[in-house]
PDB file of all heavy atoms in Angstrom:
ATOM      1  N   VAL H   1       0.853  -1.210   0.001  1.00  0.00           N
ATOM      2  CA  VAL H   1      -0.031  -0.024  -0.004  1.00  0.00           C
ATOM      3  C   VAL H   1       0.938   1.239   0.025  1.00  0.00           C
ATOM      4  O   VAL H   1       1.779   1.364   0.888  1.00  0.00           O
ATOM      5  CB  VAL H   1      -0.900  -0.048   1.261  1.00  0.00           C
ATOM      6  CG1 VAL H   1      -1.777   1.214   1.241  1.00  0.00           C
ATOM      7  CG2 VAL H   1      -1.766  -1.245   1.309  1.00  0.00           C
ATOM      8  N   PRO H   2       0.724   2.098  -0.989  1.00  0.00           N
ATOM      9  CA  PRO H   2       1.565   3.335  -1.022  1.00  0.00           C
ATOM     10  C   PRO H   2       1.224   4.212   0.148  1.00  0.00           C
ATOM     11  O   PRO H   2       0.119   4.192   0.652  1.00  0.00           O
ATOM     12  CB  PRO H   2       1.240   4.028  -2.297  1.00  0.00           C
ATOM     13  CG  PRO H   2      -0.073   3.382  -2.740  1.00  0.00           C
ATOM     14  CD  PRO H   2      -0.158   2.087  -2.132  1.00  0.00           C
ATOM     15  N   PRO H   3       2.205   5.076   0.612  1.00  0.00           N
ATOM     16  CA  PRO H   3       1.931   5.983   1.686  1.00  0.00           C
ATOM     17  C   PRO H   3       0.844   6.965   1.291  1.00  0.00           C
ATOM     18  O   PRO H   3       0.591   7.223   0.118  1.00  0.00           O
ATOM     19  CB  PRO H   3       3.260   6.662   1.939  1.00  0.00           C
ATOM     20  CG  PRO H   3       4.095   6.383   0.752  1.00  0.00           C
ATOM     21  CD  PRO H   3       3.522   5.194   0.120  1.00  0.00           C
ATOM     22  N   PRO H   4       0.095   7.544   2.330  1.00  0.00           N
ATOM     23  CA  PRO H   4      -0.918   8.517   1.992  1.00  0.00           C
ATOM     24  C   PRO H   4      -0.360   9.705   1.209  1.00  0.00           C
ATOM     25  O   PRO H   4       0.705  10.196   1.524  1.00  0.00           O
ATOM     26  CB  PRO H   4      -1.412   8.959   3.390  1.00  0.00           C
ATOM     27  CG  PRO H   4      -1.047   7.894   4.346  1.00  0.00           C
ATOM     28  CD  PRO H   4       0.234   7.256   3.742  1.00  0.00           C
ATOM     29  N   GLY H   5      -1.092  10.130   0.158  1.00  0.00           N
ATOM     30  CA  GLY H   5      -0.606  11.285  -0.583  1.00  0.00           C
ATOM     31  C   GLY H   5       0.263  10.883  -1.788  1.00  0.00           C
ATOM     32  O   GLY H   5       0.528  11.602  -2.667  1.00  0.00           O
ATOM     33  N   SER H   6       0.687   9.623  -1.774  1.00  0.00           N
ATOM     34  CA  SER H   6       1.546   9.150  -2.904  1.00  0.00           C
ATOM     35  C   SER H   6       0.716   8.832  -4.076  1.00  0.00           C
ATOM     36  O   SER H   6      -0.368   8.186  -3.884  1.00  0.00           O
ATOM     37  CB  SER H   6       2.370   7.972  -2.440  1.00  0.00           C
ATOM     38  OG  SER H   6       3.008   7.387  -3.530  1.00  0.00           O
ATOM     39  N   THR H   7       1.177   9.081  -5.274  1.00  0.00           N
ATOM     40  CA  THR H   7       0.399   8.710  -6.502  1.00  0.00           C
ATOM     41  C   THR H   7       1.059   7.562  -7.258  1.00  0.00           C
ATOM     42  O   THR H   7       0.670   7.205  -8.354  1.00  0.00           O
ATOM     43  CB  THR H   7       0.324   9.963  -7.429  1.00  0.00           C
ATOM     44  OG1 THR H   7       1.578  10.429  -7.795  1.00  0.00           O
ATOM     45  CG2 THR H   7      -0.511  11.064  -6.826  1.00  0.00           C
ATOM     46  N   THR H   8       2.121   6.992  -6.761  1.00  0.00           N
ATOM     47  CA  THR H   8       2.805   6.006  -7.391  1.00  0.00           C
ATOM     48  C   THR H   8       1.938   4.764  -7.528  1.00  0.00           C
ATOM     49  O   THR H   8       1.498   4.230  -6.499  1.00  0.00           O
ATOM     50  CB  THR H   8       4.165   5.551  -6.633  1.00  0.00           C
ATOM     51  OG1 THR H   8       4.889   6.753  -6.508  1.00  0.00           O
ATOM     52  CG2 THR H   8       4.927   4.502  -7.357  1.00  0.00           C
ATOM     53  N   GLY H   9       1.755   4.313  -8.695  1.00  0.00           N
ATOM     54  CA  GLY H   9       0.919   3.081  -9.016  1.00  0.00           C
ATOM     55  C   GLY H   9      -0.589   3.326  -8.916  1.00  0.00           C
ATOM     56  O   GLY H   9      -1.311   2.383  -9.112  1.00  0.00           O
ATOM     57  N   VAL H  10      -0.996   4.567  -8.676  1.00  0.00           N
ATOM     58  CA  VAL H  10      -2.450   4.800  -8.577  1.00  0.00           C
ATOM     59  C   VAL H  10      -2.901   5.477  -9.895  1.00  0.00           C
ATOM     60  O   VAL H  10      -2.271   6.399 -10.367  1.00  0.00           O
ATOM     61  CB  VAL H  10      -2.736   5.832  -7.467  1.00  0.00           C
ATOM     62  CG1 VAL H  10      -4.192   6.178  -7.398  1.00  0.00           C
ATOM     63  CG2 VAL H  10      -2.259   5.232  -6.115  1.00  0.00           C
ATOM     64  N   ALA H  11      -3.919   4.949 -10.419  1.00  0.00           N
ATOM     65  CA  ALA H  11      -4.439   5.433 -11.722  1.00  0.00           C
ATOM     66  C   ALA H  11      -5.150   6.747 -11.478  1.00  0.00           C
ATOM     67  O   ALA H  11      -5.848   6.938 -10.464  1.00  0.00           O
ATOM     68  CB  ALA H  11      -5.370   4.418 -12.372  1.00  0.00           C
ATOM     69  N   ALA H  12      -5.034   7.680 -12.422  1.00  0.00           N
ATOM     70  CA  ALA H  12      -5.727   8.967 -12.310  1.00  0.00           C
ATOM     71  C   ALA H  12      -7.197   8.853 -12.566  1.00  0.00           C
ATOM     72  O   ALA H  12      -7.951   9.529 -11.984  1.00  0.00           O
ATOM     73  CB  ALA H  12      -5.091  10.018 -13.276  1.00  0.00           C
ATOM     74  N   ASP H  13      -7.575   7.892 -13.398  1.00  0.00           N
ATOM     75  CA  ASP H  13      -8.909   7.620 -13.749  1.00  0.00           C
ATOM     76  C   ASP H  13      -9.259   6.185 -13.253  1.00  0.00           C
ATOM     77  O   ASP H  13      -8.506   5.321 -13.484  1.00  0.00           O
ATOM     78  CB  ASP H  13      -9.065   7.714 -15.267  1.00  0.00           C
ATOM     79  CG  ASP H  13     -10.454   7.486 -15.748  1.00  0.00           C
ATOM     80  OD1 ASP H  13     -11.403   7.310 -14.925  1.00  0.00           O
ATOM     81  OD2 ASP H  13     -10.652   7.398 -17.009  1.00  0.00           O
ATOM     82  N   PRO H  14     -10.404   6.014 -12.567  1.00  0.00           N
ATOM     83  CA  PRO H  14     -10.731   4.652 -12.069  1.00  0.00           C
ATOM     84  C   PRO H  14     -10.774   3.605 -13.165  1.00  0.00           C
ATOM     85  O   PRO H  14     -10.484   2.485 -12.881  1.00  0.00           O
ATOM     86  CB  PRO H  14     -12.119   4.889 -11.445  1.00  0.00           C
ATOM     87  CG  PRO H  14     -12.257   6.310 -11.185  1.00  0.00           C
ATOM     88  CD  PRO H  14     -11.385   7.019 -12.223  1.00  0.00           C
ATOM     89  N   GLY H  15     -11.076   3.986 -14.389  1.00  0.00           N
ATOM     90  CA  GLY H  15     -11.168   2.960 -15.402  1.00  0.00           C
ATOM     91  C   GLY H  15      -9.800   2.722 -16.116  1.00  0.00           C
ATOM     92  O   GLY H  15      -9.655   1.848 -16.942  1.00  0.00           O
ATOM     93  N   GLN H  16      -8.789   3.489 -15.695  1.00  0.00           N
ATOM     94  CA  GLN H  16      -7.471   3.419 -16.312  1.00  0.00           C
ATOM     95  C   GLN H  16      -6.567   2.582 -15.332  1.00  0.00           C
ATOM     96  O   GLN H  16      -6.463   2.839 -14.217  1.00  0.00           O
ATOM     97  CB  GLN H  16      -6.928   4.792 -16.562  1.00  0.00           C
ATOM     98  CG  GLN H  16      -5.497   4.820 -17.042  1.00  0.00           C
ATOM     99  CD  GLN H  16      -4.978   6.198 -17.179  1.00  0.00           C
ATOM    100  OE1 GLN H  16      -5.644   7.142 -16.762  1.00  0.00           O
ATOM    101  NE2 GLN H  16      -3.791   6.375 -17.702  1.00  0.00           N
ATOM    102  N   ALA H  17      -5.862   1.607 -15.959  1.00  0.00           N
ATOM    103  CA  ALA H  17      -4.937   0.858 -15.113  1.00  0.00           C
ATOM    104  C   ALA H  17      -3.591   1.569 -14.900  1.00  0.00           C
ATOM    105  O   ALA H  17      -3.229   2.414 -15.738  1.00  0.00           O
ATOM    106  CB  ALA H  17      -4.671  -0.480 -15.820  1.00  0.00           C
ATOM    107  N   PRO H  18      -2.953   1.368 -13.776  1.00  0.00           N
ATOM    108  CA  PRO H  18      -1.639   2.024 -13.629  1.00  0.00           C
ATOM    109  C   PRO H  18      -0.573   1.425 -14.613  1.00  0.00           C
ATOM    110  O   PRO H  18      -0.752   0.287 -15.107  1.00  0.00           O
ATOM    111  CB  PRO H  18      -1.213   1.621 -12.132  1.00  0.00           C
ATOM    112  CG  PRO H  18      -2.057   0.445 -11.818  1.00  0.00           C
ATOM    113  CD  PRO H  18      -3.319   0.506 -12.678  1.00  0.00           C
ATOM    114  N   ARG H  19       0.424   2.253 -14.912  1.00  0.00           N
ATOM    115  CA  ARG H  19       1.424   1.861 -15.881  1.00  0.00           C
ATOM    116  C   ARG H  19       2.231   0.681 -15.256  1.00  0.00           C
ATOM    117  O   ARG H  19       2.397   0.661 -14.028  1.00  0.00           O
ATOM    118  CB  ARG H  19       2.399   2.989 -16.177  1.00  0.00           C
ATOM    119  CG  ARG H  19       1.663   4.150 -16.857  1.00  0.00           C
ATOM    120  CD  ARG H  19       2.556   5.296 -17.097  1.00  0.00           C
ATOM    121  NE  ARG H  19       3.681   5.004 -17.975  1.00  0.00           N
ATOM    122  CZ  ARG H  19       3.721   5.132 -19.295  1.00  0.00           C
ATOM    123  NH1 ARG H  19       2.642   5.569 -19.866  1.00  0.00           N
ATOM    124  NH2 ARG H  19       4.701   4.845 -19.963  1.00  0.00           N
ATOM    125  N   ALA H  20       2.645  -0.202 -16.107  1.00  0.00           N
ATOM    126  CA  ALA H  20       3.348  -1.378 -15.624  1.00  0.00           C
ATOM    127  C   ALA H  20       4.701  -0.990 -14.907  1.00  0.00           C
ATOM    128  O   ALA H  20       5.140  -1.742 -14.030  1.00  0.00           O
ATOM    129  CB  ALA H  20       3.724  -2.308 -16.805  1.00  0.00           C
ATOM    130  N   ASP H  21       5.311   0.109 -15.251  1.00  0.00           N
ATOM    131  CA  ASP H  21       6.528   0.533 -14.663  1.00  0.00           C
ATOM    132  C   ASP H  21       6.367   1.588 -13.720  1.00  0.00           C
ATOM    133  O   ASP H  21       7.263   2.334 -13.394  1.00  0.00           O
ATOM    134  CB  ASP H  21       7.557   0.917 -15.745  1.00  0.00           C
ATOM    135  CG  ASP H  21       6.965   1.876 -16.732  1.00  0.00           C
ATOM    136  OD1 ASP H  21       5.805   2.300 -16.557  1.00  0.00           O
ATOM    137  OD2 ASP H  21       7.671   2.337 -17.622  1.00  0.00           O
ATOM    138  N   ALA H  22       5.163   1.782 -13.146  1.00  0.00           N
ATOM    139  CA  ALA H  22       4.863   2.906 -12.287  1.00  0.00           C
ATOM    140  C   ALA H  22       5.618   2.849 -10.986  1.00  0.00           C
ATOM    141  O   ALA H  22       5.943   3.869 -10.324  1.00  0.00           O
ATOM    142  CB  ALA H  22       3.357   2.928 -11.980  1.00  0.00           C
ATOM    143  N   GLY H  23       6.045   1.694 -10.469  1.00  0.00           N
ATOM    144  CA  GLY H  23       6.715   1.574  -9.246  1.00  0.00           C
ATOM    145  C   GLY H  23       8.215   1.835  -9.277  1.00  0.00           C
ATOM    146  O   GLY H  23       8.840   1.926  -8.292  1.00  0.00           O
ATOM    147  N   ARG H  24       8.751   1.905 -10.431  1.00  0.00           N
ATOM    148  CA  ARG H  24      10.166   2.133 -10.628  1.00  0.00           C
ATOM    149  C   ARG H  24      10.582   3.563 -10.397  1.00  0.00           C
ATOM    150  O   ARG H  24       9.826   4.442 -10.734  1.00  0.00           O
ATOM    151  CB  ARG H  24      10.598   1.718 -12.002  1.00  0.00           C
ATOM    152  CG  ARG H  24      10.446   0.195 -12.244  1.00  0.00           C
ATOM    153  CD  ARG H  24      11.213  -0.169 -13.454  1.00  0.00           C
ATOM    154  NE  ARG H  24      11.043  -1.603 -13.663  1.00  0.00           N
ATOM    155  CZ  ARG H  24      10.659  -2.192 -14.732  1.00  0.00           C
ATOM    156  NH1 ARG H  24      10.416  -1.411 -15.846  1.00  0.00           N
ATOM    157  NH2 ARG H  24      10.556  -3.459 -14.858  1.00  0.00           N
ATOM    158  N   GLU H  25      11.740   3.744  -9.878  1.00  0.00           N
ATOM    159  CA  GLU H  25      12.271   5.105  -9.635  1.00  0.00           C
ATOM    160  C   GLU H  25      12.895   5.587 -10.895  1.00  0.00           C
ATOM    161  O   GLU H  25      13.771   4.915 -11.512  1.00  0.00           O
ATOM    162  CB  GLU H  25      13.292   5.074  -8.488  1.00  0.00           C
ATOM    163  CG  GLU H  25      12.741   4.889  -7.181  1.00  0.00           C
ATOM    164  CD  GLU H  25      11.858   6.053  -6.753  1.00  0.00           C
ATOM    165  OE1 GLU H  25      12.186   7.239  -7.002  1.00  0.00           O
ATOM    166  OE2 GLU H  25      10.795   5.811  -6.120  1.00  0.00           O
ATOM    167  N   LEU H  26      12.442   6.751 -11.367  1.00  0.00           N
ATOM    168  CA  LEU H  26      13.015   7.299 -12.579  1.00  0.00           C
ATOM    169  C   LEU H  26      13.856   8.482 -12.184  1.00  0.00           C
ATOM    170  O   LEU H  26      13.628   9.225 -11.291  1.00  0.00           O
ATOM    171  CB  LEU H  26      11.915   7.820 -13.521  1.00  0.00           C
ATOM    172  CG  LEU H  26      11.056   6.702 -14.095  1.00  0.00           C
ATOM    173  CD1 LEU H  26       9.812   7.280 -14.716  1.00  0.00           C
ATOM    174  CD2 LEU H  26      11.881   5.972 -15.162  1.00  0.00           C
ATOM    175  N   PRO H  27      14.937   8.756 -12.963  1.00  0.00           N
ATOM    176  CA  PRO H  27      15.817   9.904 -12.641  1.00  0.00           C
ATOM    177  C   PRO H  27      15.068  11.203 -12.962  1.00  0.00           C
ATOM    178  O   PRO H  27      14.049  11.227 -13.642  1.00  0.00           O
ATOM    179  CB  PRO H  27      17.038   9.646 -13.561  1.00  0.00           C
ATOM    180  CG  PRO H  27      16.550   8.785 -14.639  1.00  0.00           C
ATOM    181  CD  PRO H  27      15.453   7.949 -14.062  1.00  0.00           C
ATOM    182  N   ASP H  28      15.640  12.281 -12.554  1.00  0.00           N
ATOM    183  CA  ASP H  28      15.153  13.631 -12.888  1.00  0.00           C
ATOM    184  C   ASP H  28      15.167  13.860 -14.423  1.00  0.00           C
ATOM    185  O   ASP H  28      16.229  13.598 -14.997  1.00  0.00           O
ATOM    186  CB  ASP H  28      16.066  14.655 -12.198  1.00  0.00           C
ATOM    187  CG  ASP H  28      15.475  16.102 -12.464  1.00  0.00           C
ATOM    188  OD1 ASP H  28      14.298  16.262 -12.755  1.00  0.00           O
ATOM    189  OD2 ASP H  28      16.316  16.986 -12.343  1.00  0.00           O
ATOM    190  N   PRO H  29      14.053  14.200 -15.004  1.00  0.00           N
ATOM    191  CA  PRO H  29      14.068  14.382 -16.511  1.00  0.00           C
ATOM    192  C   PRO H  29      14.719  15.571 -17.033  1.00  0.00           C
ATOM    193  O   PRO H  29      15.047  15.731 -18.150  1.00  0.00           O
ATOM    194  CB  PRO H  29      12.566  14.338 -16.844  1.00  0.00           C
ATOM    195  CG  PRO H  29      11.898  14.871 -15.617  1.00  0.00           C
ATOM    196  CD  PRO H  29      12.714  14.404 -14.472  1.00  0.00           C
ATOM    197  N   ALA H  30      14.966  16.583 -16.104  1.00  0.00           N
ATOM    198  CA  ALA H  30      15.560  17.907 -16.578  1.00  0.00           C
ATOM    199  C   ALA H  30      16.875  17.764 -17.293  1.00  0.00           C
ATOM    200  O   ALA H  30      17.074  18.353 -18.404  1.00  0.00           O
ATOM    201  CB  ALA H  30      15.588  18.830 -15.454  1.00  0.00           C
ATOM    202  N   PRO H  31      17.863  17.016 -16.716  1.00  0.00           N
ATOM    203  CA  PRO H  31      19.171  16.961 -17.425  1.00  0.00           C
ATOM    204  C   PRO H  31      19.017  16.260 -18.820  1.00  0.00           C
ATOM    205  O   PRO H  31      19.652  16.684 -19.741  1.00  0.00           O
ATOM    206  CB  PRO H  31      19.988  16.116 -16.459  1.00  0.00           C
ATOM    207  CG  PRO H  31      19.390  16.229 -15.151  1.00  0.00           C
ATOM    208  CD  PRO H  31      17.916  16.384 -15.434  1.00  0.00           C
ATOM    209  N   LEU H  32      18.266  15.199 -18.901  1.00  0.00           N
ATOM    210  CA  LEU H  32      18.065  14.545 -20.204  1.00  0.00           C
ATOM    211  C   LEU H  32      17.408  15.538 -21.184  1.00  0.00           C
ATOM    212  O   LEU H  32      17.822  15.591 -22.354  1.00  0.00           O
ATOM    213  CB  LEU H  32      17.218  13.294 -20.062  1.00  0.00           C
ATOM    214  CG  LEU H  32      16.929  12.643 -21.412  1.00  0.00           C
ATOM    215  CD1 LEU H  32      18.222  12.112 -22.088  1.00  0.00           C
ATOM    216  CD2 LEU H  32      15.920  11.509 -21.214  1.00  0.00           C
ATOM    217  N   ALA H  33      16.317  16.232 -20.784  1.00  0.00           N
ATOM    218  CA  ALA H  33      15.667  17.172 -21.654  1.00  0.00           C
ATOM    219  C   ALA H  33      16.590  18.207 -22.184  1.00  0.00           C
ATOM    220  O   ALA H  33      16.656  18.587 -23.350  1.00  0.00           O
ATOM    221  CB  ALA H  33      14.486  17.810 -20.934  1.00  0.00           C
ATOM    222  N   THR H  34      17.432  18.764 -21.276  1.00  0.00           N
ATOM    223  CA  THR H  34      18.372  19.802 -21.691  1.00  0.00           C
ATOM    224  C   THR H  34      19.443  19.269 -22.621  1.00  0.00           C
ATOM    225  O   THR H  34      19.597  19.831 -23.705  1.00  0.00           O
ATOM    226  CB  THR H  34      19.079  20.340 -20.402  1.00  0.00           C
ATOM    227  OG1 THR H  34      18.162  20.866 -19.530  1.00  0.00           O
ATOM    228  CG2 THR H  34      20.080  21.416 -20.799  1.00  0.00           C
ATOM    229  N   ASN H  35      20.009  18.121 -22.357  1.00  0.00           N
ATOM    230  CA  ASN H  35      21.001  17.583 -23.248  1.00  0.00           C
ATOM    231  C   ASN H  35      20.458  17.110 -24.492  1.00  0.00           C
ATOM    232  O   ASN H  35      21.057  17.179 -25.559  1.00  0.00           O
ATOM    233  CB  ASN H  35      21.769  16.452 -22.501  1.00  0.00           C
ATOM    234  CG  ASN H  35      22.608  16.886 -21.397  1.00  0.00           C
ATOM    235  OD1 ASN H  35      23.141  18.028 -21.424  1.00  0.00           O
ATOM    236  ND2 ASN H  35      22.792  16.146 -20.323  1.00  0.00           N
ATOM    237  N   LEU H  36      19.230  16.517 -24.451  1.00  0.00           N
ATOM    238  CA  LEU H  36      18.620  16.057 -25.716  1.00  0.00           C
ATOM    239  C   LEU H  36      18.292  17.245 -26.629  1.00  0.00           C
ATOM    240  O   LEU H  36      18.470  17.143 -27.901  1.00  0.00           O
ATOM    241  CB  LEU H  36      17.382  15.223 -25.374  1.00  0.00           C
ATOM    242  CG  LEU H  36      16.839  14.293 -26.477  1.00  0.00           C
ATOM    243  CD1 LEU H  36      17.910  13.352 -27.007  1.00  0.00           C
ATOM    244  CD2 LEU H  36      15.684  13.515 -25.989  1.00  0.00           C
ATOM    245  N   ALA H  37      17.794  18.301 -26.074  1.00  0.00           N
ATOM    246  CA  ALA H  37      17.456  19.538 -26.867  1.00  0.00           C
ATOM    247  C   ALA H  37      18.749  20.074 -27.505  1.00  0.00           C
ATOM    248  O   ALA H  37      18.775  20.455 -28.681  1.00  0.00           O
ATOM    249  CB  ALA H  37      16.760  20.552 -26.045  1.00  0.00           C
ATOM    250  N   ARG H  38      19.819  20.161 -26.710  1.00  0.00           N
ATOM    251  CA  ARG H  38      21.096  20.637 -27.226  1.00  0.00           C
ATOM    252  C   ARG H  38      21.543  19.694 -28.397  1.00  0.00           C
ATOM    253  O   ARG H  38      22.038  20.204 -29.399  1.00  0.00           O
ATOM    254  CB  ARG H  38      22.114  20.589 -26.100  1.00  0.00           C
ATOM    255  CG  ARG H  38      23.506  21.048 -26.515  1.00  0.00           C
ATOM    256  CD  ARG H  38      24.541  20.961 -25.367  1.00  0.00           C
ATOM    257  NE  ARG H  38      24.235  21.993 -24.431  1.00  0.00           N
ATOM    258  CZ  ARG H  38      24.062  21.794 -23.140  1.00  0.00           C
ATOM    259  NH1 ARG H  38      24.161  20.636 -22.634  1.00  0.00           N
ATOM    260  NH2 ARG H  38      23.806  22.826 -22.312  1.00  0.00           N
ATOM    261  N   CYS H  39      21.513  18.422 -28.240  1.00  0.00           N
ATOM    262  CA  CYS H  39      21.911  17.480 -29.210  1.00  0.00           C
ATOM    263  C   CYS H  39      21.076  17.573 -30.484  1.00  0.00           C
ATOM    264  O   CYS H  39      21.593  17.586 -31.596  1.00  0.00           O
ATOM    265  CB  CYS H  39      21.883  16.044 -28.706  1.00  0.00           C
ATOM    266  SG  CYS H  39      23.142  15.638 -27.493  1.00  0.00           S
ATOM    267  N   VAL H  40      19.778  17.718 -30.339  1.00  0.00           N
ATOM    268  CA  VAL H  40      18.888  17.862 -31.495  1.00  0.00           C
ATOM    269  C   VAL H  40      19.249  19.149 -32.253  1.00  0.00           C
ATOM    270  O   VAL H  40      19.286  19.134 -33.493  1.00  0.00           O
ATOM    271  CB  VAL H  40      17.392  17.859 -31.066  1.00  0.00           C
ATOM    272  CG1 VAL H  40      16.457  18.347 -32.223  1.00  0.00           C
ATOM    273  CG2 VAL H  40      16.964  16.441 -30.627  1.00  0.00           C
ATOM    274  N   PHE H  41      19.482  20.206 -31.585  1.00  0.00           N
ATOM    275  CA  PHE H  41      19.810  21.481 -32.217  1.00  0.00           C
ATOM    276  C   PHE H  41      21.141  21.296 -32.934  1.00  0.00           C
ATOM    277  O   PHE H  41      21.249  21.799 -34.132  1.00  0.00           O
ATOM    278  CB  PHE H  41      19.961  22.594 -31.154  1.00  0.00           C
ATOM    279  CG  PHE H  41      19.858  23.981 -31.660  1.00  0.00           C
ATOM    280  CD1 PHE H  41      18.617  24.461 -32.053  1.00  0.00           C
ATOM    281  CD2 PHE H  41      20.960  24.772 -31.745  1.00  0.00           C
ATOM    282  CE1 PHE H  41      18.527  25.716 -32.564  1.00  0.00           C
ATOM    283  CE2 PHE H  41      20.881  26.027 -32.183  1.00  0.00           C
ATOM    284  CZ  PHE H  41      19.609  26.508 -32.603  1.00  0.00           C
ATOM    285  N   GLU H  42      22.129  20.628 -32.375  1.00  0.00           N
ATOM    286  CA  GLU H  42      23.408  20.405 -33.106  1.00  0.00           C
ATOM    287  C   GLU H  42      23.252  19.495 -34.252  1.00  0.00           C
ATOM    288  O   GLU H  42      23.990  19.612 -35.264  1.00  0.00           O
ATOM    289  CB  GLU H  42      24.492  19.915 -32.092  1.00  0.00           C
ATOM    290  CG  GLU H  42      24.875  20.946 -31.079  1.00  0.00           C
ATOM    291  CD  GLU H  42      25.816  20.422 -30.012  1.00  0.00           C
ATOM    292  OE1 GLU H  42      26.071  19.172 -29.937  1.00  0.00           O
ATOM    293  OE2 GLU H  42      26.363  21.189 -29.284  1.00  0.00           O
ATOM    294  N   ILE H  43      22.434  18.428 -34.151  1.00  0.00           N
ATOM    295  CA  ILE H  43      22.179  17.508 -35.211  1.00  0.00           C
ATOM    296  C   ILE H  43      21.600  18.221 -36.349  1.00  0.00           C
ATOM    297  O   ILE H  43      22.031  18.073 -37.523  1.00  0.00           O
ATOM    298  CB  ILE H  43      21.245  16.335 -34.784  1.00  0.00           C
ATOM    299  CG1 ILE H  43      22.006  15.412 -33.880  1.00  0.00           C
ATOM    300  CG2 ILE H  43      20.704  15.620 -35.937  1.00  0.00           C
ATOM    301  CD1 ILE H  43      21.145  14.451 -33.114  1.00  0.00           C
ATOM    302  N   LEU H  44      20.629  19.034 -36.194  1.00  0.00           N
ATOM    303  CA  LEU H  44      19.978  19.779 -37.323  1.00  0.00           C
ATOM    304  C   LEU H  44      20.958  20.836 -37.997  1.00  0.00           C
ATOM    305  O   LEU H  44      20.845  21.141 -39.132  1.00  0.00           O
ATOM    306  CB  LEU H  44      18.698  20.541 -36.822  1.00  0.00           C
ATOM    307  CG  LEU H  44      17.563  19.644 -36.436  1.00  0.00           C
ATOM    308  CD1 LEU H  44      16.381  20.396 -35.911  1.00  0.00           C
ATOM    309  CD2 LEU H  44      17.167  18.690 -37.589  1.00  0.00           C
ATOM    310  N   ALA H  45      21.920  21.290 -37.193  1.00  0.00           N
ATOM    311  CA  ALA H  45      22.953  22.225 -37.692  1.00  0.00           C
ATOM    312  C   ALA H  45      24.020  21.483 -38.451  1.00  0.00           C
ATOM    313  O   ALA H  45      24.898  22.040 -39.143  1.00  0.00           O
ATOM    314  CB  ALA H  45      23.625  23.059 -36.591  1.00  0.00           C
ATOM    315  N   GLY H  46      24.077  20.159 -38.352  1.00  0.00           N
ATOM    316  CA  GLY H  46      25.048  19.312 -39.072  1.00  0.00           C
ATOM    317  C   GLY H  46      26.345  19.111 -38.236  1.00  0.00           C
ATOM    318  O   GLY H  46      27.328  18.596 -38.827  1.00  0.00           O
ATOM    319  N   ALA H  47      26.443  19.510 -37.031  1.00  0.00           N
ATOM    320  CA  ALA H  47      27.595  19.365 -36.162  1.00  0.00           C
ATOM    321  C   ALA H  47      27.706  18.080 -35.405  1.00  0.00           C
ATOM    322  O   ALA H  47      28.651  17.773 -34.768  1.00  0.00           O
ATOM    323  CB  ALA H  47      27.723  20.586 -35.173  1.00  0.00           C
TER     324      ALA H  47
END
């Protein structure tokens, strides 16, 4: 049972099942988003 206030593994909609990987810890998405945007920009520039 998740702690009170936790949304891990809880579906937002009663008819919707939780994601299969909902219990896994994911890293912070900000560094990946920043680096991926930088890379995409450099790829389109041909560098």
Side-chain angles (χ1 to χ4, degrees):
V1 178
S6 172
T7 59
T8 304
V10 177
D13 180 7
Q16 176 185 4
R19 296 177 64 92
D21 51 358
R24 294 195 179 128
E25 287 295 321
L26 292 168
D28 181 25
L32 175 65
T34 303
N35 290 329
L36 198 55
R38 177 182 290 126
C39 289
V40 166
F41 201 72
E42 290 175 352
I43 287 167
L44 294 178

